[in-house]
């Protein structure tokens, strides 16, 4: 019998809704213990997952499983790039953008069953001002909302909607100078997203044709728009057709430099940080080992058309998610939204 692979689950106990009761028992029942020698650890503070993943790679652990949302995934992944250790994902976040792009089921048991298949691919990742990202990064409105969301200290869709609602009425689009290998262009933009993967999360496809194995990022520039444009843009996000909108400009590049009028906030996989007025984004080809769904190759995702039913279903489910969170609290938000 071949030697067992060493696997370590790094669990963020507060990601998503924080409910992970019975998870260790589920791992014991579902993980193929004939293939794996398993250990489990829990994060205790922000950044701890990164430390634990680095230690795992140094110990020669074959697979580190990030159990949490995109923030936890980023912490784990950035600590194992350019090592022999692979990352797997058991999604427990609010958006789960990278897991959804990779076609990892948003179900703990099913995602562990994917790990049992142990299909590992070398995929790309990116850096924004030297900070690794694996799904998307960017600046402008979504980066500002990410900072407000982080400062709020509350998780869940309702808190994110509240942050967005409070900011959108007063947000002023900025002018950005973007330089790539073809030259310089100036854009006035509501936001700029650089995408390694296809979506922000919750099946909102900001970069419908993005691939994690082509060595390039999809750059999406959202130009200023009016309130009347929002319903169409929102539905296009869920139907993989946002790139057809006249307010959206897209191109692909391996490396870009962005200059804005002043320092400000950026985000990497949804986590905000302040940085200078100059921002460099670049792709690192084949820099990380990832456990993928063997039945649904991530590069095939770009060629899969979504039906109108798919889009409307995800759109409605998103509304229900927000509604459920709102019912648990936030009477103030209900009053603001007139619901």
């Amino acid at each position: 019998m071949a030697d067992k692979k060493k696997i370590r689950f790094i669990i963020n106990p507060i990601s998503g809704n924080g409910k992970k009761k019975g998870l260790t028992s589920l791992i014991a029942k579902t993980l193929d213990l004939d293939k794996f020698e398993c250990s489990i650890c829990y994060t205790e503070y922000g950044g701890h997952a990164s430390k634990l993943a680095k230690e795992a790679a140094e110990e020669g652990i074959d697979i580190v499983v990030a159990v949490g949302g995109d923030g936890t995934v980023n912490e784990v992944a950035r600590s194992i790039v350019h090592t022999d250790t692979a990352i797997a994902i058991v999604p427990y976040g609010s958006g789960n953008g990278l897991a959804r792009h990779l076609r990892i089921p948003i179900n703990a048991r099913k995602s562990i069953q994917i790990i049992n298949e142990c299909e590992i691919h070398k995929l790309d990742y990116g850096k924004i001002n030297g900070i690794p990202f694996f799904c998307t990064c960017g600046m402008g409105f979504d980066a500002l909302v990410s900072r407000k969301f982080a400062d709020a200290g509350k998780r869940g869709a309702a808190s994110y909607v509240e942050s967005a609602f409070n900011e959108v009425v007063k947000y002023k689009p900025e002018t950005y100078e973007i330089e790539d290998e073809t030259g310089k262009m100036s854009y006035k933009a509501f936001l700029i997203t650089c995408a390694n993967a296809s979506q922000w999360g919750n099946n909102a496809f900001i970069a419908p044709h993005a691939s994690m194995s082509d060595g390039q990022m999809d750059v999406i520039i959202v130009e200023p728009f009016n309130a009347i444009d929002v319903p169409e843009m929102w539905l296009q996000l869920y139907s993989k057709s946002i790139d057809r909108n006249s307010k959206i400009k897209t191109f692909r590049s391996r490396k870009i430099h962005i200059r804005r009028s002043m320092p400000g906030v950026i985000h990497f996989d949804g986590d905000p940080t302040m940085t200078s007025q100059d921002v460099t984004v670049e792709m690192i080809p084949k820099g990380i080992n990832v456990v993928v769904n063997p039945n649904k190759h991530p590069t095939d995702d770009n060629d899969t058309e979504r039906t109108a039913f798919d889009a409307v279903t995800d759109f409605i489910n998103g509304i229900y998610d927000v509604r459920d969170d709102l019912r648990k609290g936030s009477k103030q938000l209900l009053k603001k939204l007139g619901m």
Side-chain angles (χ1 to χ4, degrees), residues 155-215:
R155 309 305 295 173
S159 181
Y160 192 87
V161 169
E162 183 176 8
S163 298
F165 182 84
N166 288 337
E167 295 303 321
V168 70
V169 293
K170 56 186 179 182
Y171 183 75
K172 304 294 184 187
E174 295 184 59
T175 298
Y176 302 88
E177 183 182 82
I178 303 178
E179 181 178 7
D180 68 358
E181 59 271 19
T182 66
K184 293 182 182 180
M185 289 290 290
S186 183
Y187 299 91
K188 189 173 185 180
F190 186 74
L191 61 87
I192 298 175
T193 291
C194 298
N196 182 37
S198 57
Q199 60 171 284
W200 278 326
N202 287 318
N203 286 327
F205 291 87
I206 185 61
H209 307 292
S211 167
M212 294 183 69
S213 58
D214 64 356

Short mmCIF file of all heavy atoms in Angstrom, two decimals, residues 155-215:
data_model
loop_
_atom_site.label_atom_id
_atom_site.label_comp_id
_atom_site.label_asym_id
_atom_site.label_seq_id
_atom_site.Cartn_x
_atom_site.Cartn_y
_atom_site.Cartn_z
N ARG A 155 -20.35 40.20 10.52
CA ARG A 155 -20.27 39.39 9.32
C ARG A 155 -21.66 39.24 8.69
O ARG A 155 -22.66 39.67 9.26
CB ARG A 155 -19.70 37.99 9.63
CG ARG A 155 -18.41 38.00 10.40
CD ARG A 155 -17.33 38.83 9.73
NE ARG A 155 -16.91 38.29 8.46
CZ ARG A 155 -16.08 38.92 7.63
NH1 ARG A 155 -15.62 40.11 7.92
NH2 ARG A 155 -15.73 38.35 6.48
N GLY A 156 -21.70 38.61 7.53
CA GLY A 156 -22.99 38.30 6.92
C GLY A 156 -23.38 39.29 5.84
O GLY A 156 -22.87 40.40 5.74
N ALA A 157 -24.34 38.86 5.03
CA ALA A 157 -24.77 39.65 3.88
C ALA A 157 -25.41 40.96 4.29
O ALA A 157 -25.24 41.98 3.63
CB ALA A 157 -25.76 38.83 3.04
N ALA A 158 -26.14 40.96 5.40
CA ALA A 158 -26.84 42.18 5.82
C ALA A 158 -25.86 43.30 6.13
O ALA A 158 -26.07 44.45 5.76
CB ALA A 158 -27.71 41.90 7.04
N SER A 159 -24.76 42.96 6.81
CA SER A 159 -23.76 43.96 7.14
C SER A 159 -23.11 44.51 5.89
O SER A 159 -22.84 45.71 5.79
CB SER A 159 -22.70 43.34 8.08
OG SER A 159 -21.74 44.30 8.42
N TYR A 160 -22.86 43.62 4.90
CA TYR A 160 -22.24 44.08 3.65
C TYR A 160 -23.19 45.02 2.90
O TYR A 160 -22.78 46.06 2.39
CB TYR A 160 -21.86 42.89 2.78
CG TYR A 160 -20.97 43.28 1.62
CD1 TYR A 160 -19.59 43.32 1.78
CD2 TYR A 160 -21.51 43.63 0.39
CE1 TYR A 160 -18.76 43.71 0.72
CE2 TYR A 160 -20.69 44.02 -0.67
CZ TYR A 160 -19.32 44.05 -0.49
OH TYR A 160 -18.52 44.45 -1.52
N VAL A 161 -24.46 44.63 2.83
CA VAL A 161 -25.45 45.48 2.15
C VAL A 161 -25.55 46.83 2.84
O VAL A 161 -25.63 47.87 2.20
CB VAL A 161 -26.82 44.78 2.12
CG1 VAL A 161 -27.90 45.75 1.67
CG2 VAL A 161 -26.78 43.58 1.18
N GLU A 162 -25.53 46.83 4.17
CA GLU A 162 -25.60 48.08 4.92
C GLU A 162 -24.42 48.98 4.59
O GLU A 162 -24.57 50.18 4.36
CB GLU A 162 -25.66 47.80 6.42
CG GLU A 162 -25.81 49.06 7.26
CD GLU A 162 -25.95 48.77 8.74
OE1 GLU A 162 -25.79 47.60 9.15
OE2 GLU A 162 -26.23 49.73 9.49
N SER A 163 -23.22 48.39 4.56
CA SER A 163 -22.03 49.17 4.23
C SER A 163 -22.13 49.75 2.83
O SER A 163 -21.82 50.92 2.60
CB SER A 163 -20.78 48.28 4.34
OG SER A 163 -20.60 47.81 5.66
N ALA A 164 -22.58 48.93 1.87
CA ALA A 164 -22.70 49.39 0.49
C ALA A 164 -23.75 50.49 0.37
O ALA A 164 -23.53 51.50 -0.31
CB ALA A 164 -23.06 48.21 -0.41
N PHE A 165 -24.88 50.30 1.04
CA PHE A 165 -25.97 51.28 0.97
C PHE A 165 -25.52 52.63 1.53
O PHE A 165 -25.84 53.69 0.97
CB PHE A 165 -27.17 50.76 1.76
CG PHE A 165 -28.36 51.68 1.73
CD1 PHE A 165 -29.25 51.65 0.67
CD2 PHE A 165 -28.59 52.57 2.77
CE1 PHE A 165 -30.34 52.50 0.64
CE2 PHE A 165 -29.69 53.41 2.75
CZ PHE A 165 -30.57 53.38 1.68
N ASN A 166 -24.76 52.60 2.62
CA ASN A 166 -24.31 53.84 3.24
C ASN A 166 -23.32 54.60 2.38
O ASN A 166 -23.22 55.83 2.46
CB ASN A 166 -23.68 53.55 4.60
CG ASN A 166 -24.72 53.15 5.65
OD1 ASN A 166 -25.89 53.48 5.52
ND2 ASN A 166 -24.29 52.42 6.66
N GLU A 167 -22.57 53.88 1.55
CA GLU A 167 -21.50 54.51 0.78
C GLU A 167 -21.89 54.91 -0.63
O GLU A 167 -21.36 55.88 -1.18
CB GLU A 167 -20.29 53.57 0.72
CG GLU A 167 -19.64 53.31 2.06
CD GLU A 167 -19.17 54.58 2.77
OE1 GLU A 167 -18.66 55.49 2.09
OE2 GLU A 167 -19.34 54.66 4.00
N VAL A 168 -22.82 54.17 -1.25
CA VAL A 168 -23.07 54.37 -2.67
C VAL A 168 -23.62 55.76 -2.98
O VAL A 168 -23.33 56.34 -4.03
CB VAL A 168 -24.01 53.27 -3.22
CG1 VAL A 168 -25.44 53.44 -2.68
CG2 VAL A 168 -23.99 53.26 -4.75
N VAL A 169 -24.40 56.32 -2.07
CA VAL A 169 -25.02 57.62 -2.34
C VAL A 169 -24.01 58.76 -2.30
O VAL A 169 -24.28 59.83 -2.86
CB VAL A 169 -26.16 57.89 -1.33
CG1 VAL A 169 -27.30 56.93 -1.55
CG2 VAL A 169 -25.65 57.82 0.11
N LYS A 170 -22.87 58.56 -1.66
CA LYS A 170 -21.89 59.64 -1.56
C LYS A 170 -20.57 59.35 -2.27
O LYS A 170 -19.67 60.18 -2.27
CB LYS A 170 -21.61 59.95 -0.08
CG LYS A 170 -21.14 58.78 0.75
CD LYS A 170 -21.05 59.15 2.22
CE LYS A 170 -20.61 57.95 3.07
NZ LYS A 170 -20.57 58.28 4.52
N TYR A 171 -20.48 58.17 -2.91
CA TYR A 171 -19.21 57.80 -3.53
C TYR A 171 -18.97 58.57 -4.83
O TYR A 171 -19.86 58.68 -5.66
CB TYR A 171 -19.17 56.29 -3.82
CG TYR A 171 -17.85 55.85 -4.39
CD1 TYR A 171 -16.73 55.75 -3.57
CD2 TYR A 171 -17.71 55.57 -5.74
CE1 TYR A 171 -15.50 55.37 -4.08
CE2 TYR A 171 -16.49 55.19 -6.26
CZ TYR A 171 -15.39 55.09 -5.43
OH TYR A 171 -14.18 54.73 -5.94
N LYS A 172 -17.77 59.08 -4.99
CA LYS A 172 -17.38 59.81 -6.19
C LYS A 172 -16.39 58.98 -7.00
O LYS A 172 -15.30 58.65 -6.50
CB LYS A 172 -16.73 61.15 -5.82
CG LYS A 172 -17.59 62.05 -4.94
CD LYS A 172 -18.83 62.52 -5.67
CE LYS A 172 -19.62 63.49 -4.79
NZ LYS A 172 -20.92 63.85 -5.40
N PRO A 173 -16.73 58.61 -8.23
CA PRO A 173 -15.77 57.86 -9.06
C PRO A 173 -14.46 58.62 -9.23
O PRO A 173 -14.43 59.86 -9.23
CB PRO A 173 -16.51 57.72 -10.40
CG PRO A 173 -17.96 57.82 -10.03
CD PRO A 173 -18.02 58.81 -8.90
N GLU A 174 -13.38 57.86 -9.38
CA GLU A 174 -12.05 58.45 -9.53
C GLU A 174 -11.56 58.27 -10.97
O GLU A 174 -12.08 57.45 -11.73
CB GLU A 174 -11.06 57.77 -8.59
CG GLU A 174 -11.33 57.98 -7.11
CD GLU A 174 -10.24 57.35 -6.26
OE1 GLU A 174 -9.06 57.72 -6.41
OE2 GLU A 174 -10.57 56.44 -5.46
N THR A 175 -10.51 59.04 -11.30
CA THR A 175 -9.85 58.87 -12.59
C THR A 175 -8.56 58.10 -12.38
O THR A 175 -7.77 58.41 -11.48
CB THR A 175 -9.55 60.23 -13.23
OG1 THR A 175 -10.79 60.92 -13.47
CG2 THR A 175 -8.81 60.06 -14.55
N TYR A 176 -8.35 57.07 -13.19
CA TYR A 176 -7.20 56.19 -13.07
C TYR A 176 -6.43 56.17 -14.38
O TYR A 176 -7.03 56.13 -15.46
CB TYR A 176 -7.63 54.76 -12.74
CG TYR A 176 -8.44 54.61 -11.48
CD1 TYR A 176 -9.83 54.74 -11.51
CD2 TYR A 176 -7.83 54.31 -10.27
CE1 TYR A 176 -10.58 54.59 -10.35
CE2 TYR A 176 -8.57 54.14 -9.10
CZ TYR A 176 -9.95 54.30 -9.16
OH TYR A 176 -10.69 54.14 -8.01
N GLU A 177 -5.10 56.18 -14.29
CA GLU A 177 -4.25 55.96 -15.46
C GLU A 177 -3.72 54.52 -15.39
O GLU A 177 -3.09 54.14 -14.41
CB GLU A 177 -3.08 56.94 -15.46
CG GLU A 177 -2.18 56.81 -16.69
CD GLU A 177 -1.01 57.77 -16.65
OE1 GLU A 177 -0.01 57.43 -15.97
OE2 GLU A 177 -1.10 58.84 -17.27
N ILE A 178 -4.04 53.74 -16.41
CA ILE A 178 -3.66 52.33 -16.42
C ILE A 178 -2.66 52.09 -17.53
O ILE A 178 -2.88 52.46 -18.69
CB ILE A 178 -4.89 51.42 -16.63
CG1 ILE A 178 -5.93 51.69 -15.53
CG2 ILE A 178 -4.48 49.95 -16.63
CD1 ILE A 178 -7.20 50.88 -15.70
N GLU A 179 -1.53 51.47 -17.17
CA GLU A 179 -0.49 51.17 -18.14
C GLU A 179 -0.25 49.67 -18.18
O GLU A 179 -0.09 49.02 -17.15
CB GLU A 179 0.80 51.89 -17.77
CG GLU A 179 1.94 51.64 -18.75
CD GLU A 179 3.21 52.40 -18.40
OE1 GLU A 179 3.24 53.02 -17.31
OE2 GLU A 179 4.16 52.37 -19.20
N ASP A 180 -0.24 49.11 -19.39
CA ASP A 180 0.17 47.72 -19.59
C ASP A 180 1.15 47.67 -20.76
O ASP A 180 1.68 48.71 -21.17
CB ASP A 180 -1.03 46.80 -19.79
CG ASP A 180 -1.76 47.04 -21.11
OD1 ASP A 180 -1.36 47.97 -21.86
OD2 ASP A 180 -2.72 46.32 -21.40
N GLU A 181 1.38 46.48 -21.29
CA GLU A 181 2.38 46.35 -22.35
C GLU A 181 1.98 47.05 -23.64
O GLU A 181 2.83 47.29 -24.51
CB GLU A 181 2.66 44.86 -22.63
CG GLU A 181 1.46 44.06 -23.06
CD GLU A 181 0.68 43.44 -21.91
OE1 GLU A 181 0.85 43.90 -20.75
OE2 GLU A 181 -0.08 42.49 -22.17
N THR A 182 0.71 47.43 -23.77
CA THR A 182 0.26 48.09 -24.99
C THR A 182 0.29 49.61 -24.89
O THR A 182 0.10 50.30 -25.89
CB THR A 182 -1.18 47.66 -25.34
OG1 THR A 182 -2.09 48.14 -24.33
CG2 THR A 182 -1.28 46.14 -25.44
N GLY A 183 0.49 50.14 -23.69
CA GLY A 183 0.52 51.58 -23.52
C GLY A 183 -0.30 52.06 -22.33
O GLY A 183 -0.65 51.27 -21.44
N LYS A 184 -0.62 53.37 -22.31
CA LYS A 184 -1.36 53.97 -21.21
C LYS A 184 -2.75 54.42 -21.67
O LYS A 184 -2.92 54.88 -22.79
CB LYS A 184 -0.62 55.19 -20.66
CG LYS A 184 0.69 54.91 -19.96
CD LYS A 184 1.30 56.20 -19.42
CE LYS A 184 2.65 55.94 -18.76
NZ LYS A 184 3.25 57.19 -18.24
N MET A 185 -3.71 54.26 -20.74
CA MET A 185 -5.06 54.76 -20.98
C MET A 185 -5.57 55.37 -19.70
O MET A 185 -5.21 54.94 -18.59
CB MET A 185 -5.99 53.63 -21.43
CG MET A 185 -5.71 53.11 -22.84
SD MET A 185 -6.15 54.29 -24.13
CE MET A 185 -7.95 54.27 -24.01
N SER A 186 -6.45 56.36 -19.82
CA SER A 186 -7.05 57.00 -18.67
C SER A 186 -8.54 56.68 -18.62
O SER A 186 -9.22 56.74 -19.65
CB SER A 186 -6.85 58.52 -18.74
OG SER A 186 -7.38 59.16 -17.59
N TYR A 187 -9.02 56.32 -17.44
CA TYR A 187 -10.43 55.96 -17.26
C TYR A 187 -10.99 56.62 -16.01
O TYR A 187 -10.33 56.66 -14.97
CB TYR A 187 -10.59 54.44 -17.08
CG TYR A 187 -10.13 53.58 -18.23
CD1 TYR A 187 -8.82 53.10 -18.27
CD2 TYR A 187 -10.99 53.23 -19.26
CE1 TYR A 187 -8.39 52.29 -19.31
CE2 TYR A 187 -10.57 52.43 -20.31
CZ TYR A 187 -9.26 51.96 -20.33
OH TYR A 187 -8.84 51.16 -21.35
N LYS A 188 -12.21 57.11 -16.12
CA LYS A 188 -12.97 57.48 -14.93
C LYS A 188 -13.79 56.27 -14.55
O LYS A 188 -14.55 55.75 -15.38
CB LYS A 188 -13.88 58.68 -15.20
CG LYS A 188 -14.53 59.23 -13.93
CD LYS A 188 -15.28 60.53 -14.21
CE LYS A 188 -15.82 61.12 -12.91
NZ LYS A 188 -16.55 62.39 -13.16
N ALA A 189 -13.63 55.79 -13.33
CA ALA A 189 -14.20 54.48 -12.99
C ALA A 189 -14.86 54.48 -11.62
O ALA A 189 -14.39 55.13 -10.68
CB ALA A 189 -13.13 53.40 -13.05
N PHE A 190 -15.93 53.73 -11.53
CA PHE A 190 -16.61 53.45 -10.26
C PHE A 190 -15.78 52.44 -9.47
O PHE A 190 -15.63 52.57 -8.26
CB PHE A 190 -18.01 52.90 -10.56
CG PHE A 190 -18.87 52.71 -9.36
CD1 PHE A 190 -19.43 53.79 -8.70
CD2 PHE A 190 -19.15 51.44 -8.89
CE1 PHE A 190 -20.24 53.61 -7.59
CE2 PHE A 190 -19.96 51.24 -7.79
CZ PHE A 190 -20.51 52.33 -7.14
N LEU A 191 -15.23 51.45 -10.18
CA LEU A 191 -14.32 50.49 -9.57
C LEU A 191 -13.51 49.81 -10.65
O LEU A 191 -13.88 49.81 -11.82
CB LEU A 191 -15.08 49.45 -8.73
CG LEU A 191 -16.10 48.54 -9.42
CD1 LEU A 191 -15.43 47.29 -10.00
CD2 LEU A 191 -17.18 48.10 -8.44
N ILE A 192 -12.37 49.25 -10.23
CA ILE A 192 -11.54 48.43 -11.11
C ILE A 192 -11.27 47.11 -10.40
O ILE A 192 -10.84 47.09 -9.25
CB ILE A 192 -10.20 49.12 -11.43
CG1 ILE A 192 -10.44 50.43 -12.19
CG2 ILE A 192 -9.29 48.19 -12.24
CD1 ILE A 192 -9.17 51.24 -12.43
N THR A 193 -11.57 46.02 -11.09
CA THR A 193 -11.31 44.68 -10.56
C THR A 193 -10.31 43.97 -11.45
O THR A 193 -10.43 44.01 -12.67
CB THR A 193 -12.62 43.85 -10.50
OG1 THR A 193 -13.48 44.40 -9.50
CG2 THR A 193 -12.32 42.39 -10.14
N CYS A 194 -9.34 43.33 -10.82
CA CYS A 194 -8.39 42.45 -11.53
C CYS A 194 -8.70 41.03 -11.07
O CYS A 194 -8.63 40.73 -9.88
CB CYS A 194 -6.96 42.83 -11.21
SG CYS A 194 -6.51 44.51 -11.72
N ALA A 195 -9.04 40.18 -12.02
CA ALA A 195 -9.60 38.87 -11.69
C ALA A 195 -8.70 37.73 -12.17
O ALA A 195 -8.38 37.65 -13.36
CB ALA A 195 -11.00 38.73 -12.28
N ASN A 196 -8.34 36.87 -11.23
CA ASN A 196 -7.71 35.60 -11.56
C ASN A 196 -8.79 34.54 -11.75
O ASN A 196 -8.70 33.69 -12.63
CB ASN A 196 -6.75 35.20 -10.43
CG ASN A 196 -6.01 33.91 -10.70
OD1 ASN A 196 -5.62 33.62 -11.82
ND2 ASN A 196 -5.81 33.12 -9.65
N ALA A 197 -9.83 34.62 -10.93
CA ALA A 197 -10.99 33.74 -11.01
C ALA A 197 -12.19 34.54 -11.51
O ALA A 197 -12.13 35.76 -11.64
CB ALA A 197 -11.27 33.09 -9.66
N SER A 198 -13.29 33.86 -11.73
CA SER A 198 -14.39 34.46 -12.49
C SER A 198 -15.37 35.29 -11.67
O SER A 198 -16.11 36.08 -12.25
CB SER A 198 -15.18 33.35 -13.21
OG SER A 198 -15.66 32.40 -12.27
N GLN A 199 -15.37 35.13 -10.37
CA GLN A 199 -16.45 35.79 -9.62
C GLN A 199 -16.00 36.39 -8.31
O GLN A 199 -14.98 36.02 -7.73
CB GLN A 199 -17.59 34.80 -9.38
CG GLN A 199 -17.22 33.55 -8.59
CD GLN A 199 -18.45 32.75 -8.21
OE1 GLN A 199 -19.19 33.11 -7.30
NE2 GLN A 199 -18.67 31.65 -8.92
N TRP A 200 -16.83 37.36 -7.83
CA TRP A 200 -16.63 37.94 -6.51
C TRP A 200 -17.05 36.96 -5.42
O TRP A 200 -16.51 36.95 -4.33
CB TRP A 200 -17.47 39.21 -6.37
CG TRP A 200 -16.85 40.42 -6.97
CD1 TRP A 200 -15.52 40.73 -7.02
CD2 TRP A 200 -17.54 41.52 -7.57
NE1 TRP A 200 -15.34 41.95 -7.63
CE2 TRP A 200 -16.55 42.46 -7.97
CE3 TRP A 200 -18.88 41.82 -7.81
CZ2 TRP A 200 -16.87 43.67 -8.59
CZ3 TRP A 200 -19.20 43.01 -8.42
CH2 TRP A 200 -18.21 43.93 -8.82
N GLY A 201 -18.04 36.16 -5.71
CA GLY A 201 -18.64 35.25 -4.74
C GLY A 201 -20.14 35.23 -4.93
O GLY A 201 -20.73 36.07 -5.64
N ASN A 202 -20.79 34.22 -4.35
CA ASN A 202 -22.25 34.06 -4.47
C ASN A 202 -22.71 34.01 -5.92
O ASN A 202 -23.81 34.44 -6.25
CB ASN A 202 -22.98 35.17 -3.71
CG ASN A 202 -22.91 35.00 -2.22
OD1 ASN A 202 -23.05 33.89 -1.70
ND2 ASN A 202 -22.65 36.07 -1.49
N ASN A 203 -21.84 33.51 -6.81
CA ASN A 203 -22.14 33.37 -8.24
C ASN A 203 -22.40 34.71 -8.92
O ASN A 203 -23.14 34.77 -9.91
CB ASN A 203 -23.30 32.41 -8.47
CG ASN A 203 -22.89 30.97 -8.25
OD1 ASN A 203 -21.75 30.60 -8.52
ND2 ASN A 203 -23.81 30.16 -7.76
N ALA A 204 -21.77 35.77 -8.42
CA ALA A 204 -21.77 37.07 -9.09
C ALA A 204 -20.51 37.13 -9.96
O ALA A 204 -19.41 37.37 -9.46
CB ALA A 204 -21.79 38.21 -8.08
N PHE A 205 -20.67 36.91 -11.27
CA PHE A 205 -19.54 36.72 -12.18
C PHE A 205 -19.07 38.06 -12.73
O PHE A 205 -19.55 38.52 -13.75
CB PHE A 205 -19.93 35.77 -13.31
CG PHE A 205 -20.14 34.35 -12.88
CD1 PHE A 205 -21.37 33.92 -12.40
CD2 PHE A 205 -19.09 33.44 -12.92
CE1 PHE A 205 -21.56 32.61 -11.99
CE2 PHE A 205 -19.27 32.14 -12.51
CZ PHE A 205 -20.51 31.71 -12.04
N ILE A 206 -18.08 38.66 -12.05
CA ILE A 206 -17.54 39.92 -12.51
C ILE A 206 -16.60 39.72 -13.70
O ILE A 206 -16.40 40.63 -14.51
CB ILE A 206 -16.81 40.65 -11.36
CG1 ILE A 206 -16.34 42.05 -11.79
CG2 ILE A 206 -15.63 39.84 -10.84
CD1 ILE A 206 -17.46 42.99 -12.20
N ALA A 207 -16.02 38.52 -13.83
CA ALA A 207 -15.11 38.21 -14.95
C ALA A 207 -15.48 36.86 -15.53
O ALA A 207 -14.82 35.86 -15.27
CB ALA A 207 -13.67 38.22 -14.46
N PRO A 208 -16.54 36.80 -16.31
CA PRO A 208 -17.12 35.52 -16.73
C PRO A 208 -16.14 34.58 -17.44
O PRO A 208 -16.32 33.36 -17.39
CB PRO A 208 -18.26 35.92 -17.67
CG PRO A 208 -18.58 37.34 -17.33
CD PRO A 208 -17.31 37.94 -16.86
N HIS A 209 -15.12 35.12 -18.09
CA HIS A 209 -14.23 34.29 -18.90
C HIS A 209 -12.84 34.11 -18.27
O HIS A 209 -11.92 33.62 -18.92
CB HIS A 209 -14.10 34.88 -20.30
CG HIS A 209 -15.42 35.12 -20.96
ND1 HIS A 209 -16.25 34.09 -21.35
CD2 HIS A 209 -16.08 36.26 -21.26
CE1 HIS A 209 -17.36 34.59 -21.88
NE2 HIS A 209 -17.28 35.90 -21.84
N ALA A 210 -12.70 34.50 -17.01
CA ALA A 210 -11.40 34.40 -16.36
C ALA A 210 -11.00 32.94 -16.17
O ALA A 210 -11.83 32.08 -15.89
CB ALA A 210 -11.42 35.11 -15.01
N SER A 211 -9.71 32.70 -16.31
CA SER A 211 -9.14 31.37 -16.12
C SER A 211 -7.98 31.46 -15.15
O SER A 211 -7.23 32.44 -15.16
CB SER A 211 -8.66 30.81 -17.46
OG SER A 211 -7.85 29.66 -17.26
N MET A 212 -7.81 30.43 -14.33
CA MET A 212 -6.71 30.38 -13.39
C MET A 212 -5.50 29.64 -13.96
O MET A 212 -4.57 29.32 -13.23
CB MET A 212 -7.15 29.73 -12.07
CG MET A 212 -8.17 30.55 -11.30
SD MET A 212 -8.61 29.79 -9.72
CE MET A 212 -7.07 30.01 -8.79
N SER A 213 -5.52 29.38 -15.26
CA SER A 213 -4.42 28.62 -15.85
C SER A 213 -3.92 29.23 -17.16
O SER A 213 -3.25 28.56 -17.93
CB SER A 213 -4.83 27.17 -16.07
OG SER A 213 -5.96 27.09 -16.90
N ASP A 214 -4.22 30.52 -17.40
CA ASP A 214 -3.79 31.14 -18.66
C ASP A 214 -2.68 32.16 -18.46
O ASP A 214 -2.21 32.78 -19.42
CB ASP A 214 -4.97 31.80 -19.38
CG ASP A 214 -5.59 32.95 -18.59
OD1 ASP A 214 -5.16 33.20 -17.44
OD2 ASP A 214 -6.52 33.59 -19.12
N GLY A 215 -2.25 32.37 -17.20
CA GLY A 215 -1.16 33.29 -16.93
C GLY A 215 -1.52 34.76 -17.05
O GLY A 215 -0.66 35.63 -16.97
#
